[in-house]
Amino acid sequence: MAATVGSLSIPTPDTEFVVLCDAQADGTTVPFLRRYTSSPLGAVAVTDTGLDGTTSYTPTGTVTACLPGAPSVVEPHGVENTDWNLGANAGTQSVTLLVYSGTVTVTTGDGSLTVPAGASMSWSVDDDGDQALDGTLSIDGTAPGATWHVLWTTKAA
């Protein structure tokens, strides 16, 4: 019995990020990220995370739009299957790499590392008042068949 092997193209999901605020009973607000991911068939999944884009977050108050003029929060950014470099993204406060297939090369001041499918890595500013990451950080996914996302945040103006 013989069979023919073919290829199948699977569309990637569409992902959008929104910064929202969790209004607490005491009048304070907690900013967080809400990620909307829609499948090629139209199903929408919603995931809430902290501003780092990876730590799970569960709102405990009323979810609202963050008001203009409120204390500055961070702005989320993301690219899919696109090389990324800290030097080209001034003001970056956090970076998360998610590798879905293939391998991606990460280069820091300590050297290069090959990140395999299923792995994720994150970098962020310290709690000691750092305003932005600095140094060497680049992400290169030129390996054939690699698919990945780079998510990063910058301080809102």
Side-chain angles (χ1 to χ4, degrees):
M1 177 178 209
T4 303
V5 176
S7 65
L8 175 64
S9 175
I10 300 174
T12 57
D14 180 34
T15 303
E16 301 291 331
F17 294 88
V18 177
V19 177
L20 295 173
C21 284
D22 184 7
Q24 305 296 301
D26 66 2
T28 61
T29 58
V30 178
F32 67 97
L33 291 178
R34 178 161 286 170
R35 179 176 63 218
Y36 296 93
T37 305
S38 51
S39 74
L41 298 177
V44 177
V46 176
T47 306
D48 293 336
T49 66
L51 295 177
D52 63 3
T54 58
T55 305
S56 180
Y57 181 80
T58 302
T60 57
T62 302
V63 175
T64 64
C66 295
L67 299 174
S72 65
V73 295
V74 298
E75 294 179 354
H77 309 274
V79 293
E80 180 179 1
N81 304 333
T82 302
D83 295 345
W84 188 90
N85 187 306
L86 182 61
N89 294 282
T92 296
Q93 292 187 315
S94 69
V95 179
T96 298
L97 167 66
L98 306 162
V99 181
Y100 305 116
S101 65
T103 60
V104 174
T105 302
V106 172
T107 303
T108 69
D110 295 326
S112 295
L113 173 67
T114 301
V115 183
S120 65
M121 299 183 81
S122 294
W123 301 263
S124 65
V125 294
D126 294 331
D127 289 334
D128 63 3
D130 291 340
Q131 294 298 310
L133 291 170
D134 60 8
T136 301
L137 176 58
S138 64
I139 299 169
D140 177 16
T142 57
T147 58
W148 72 97
H149 271 106
V150 179
L151 307 171
W152 72 100
T153 60
T154 56
K155 189 171 183 176

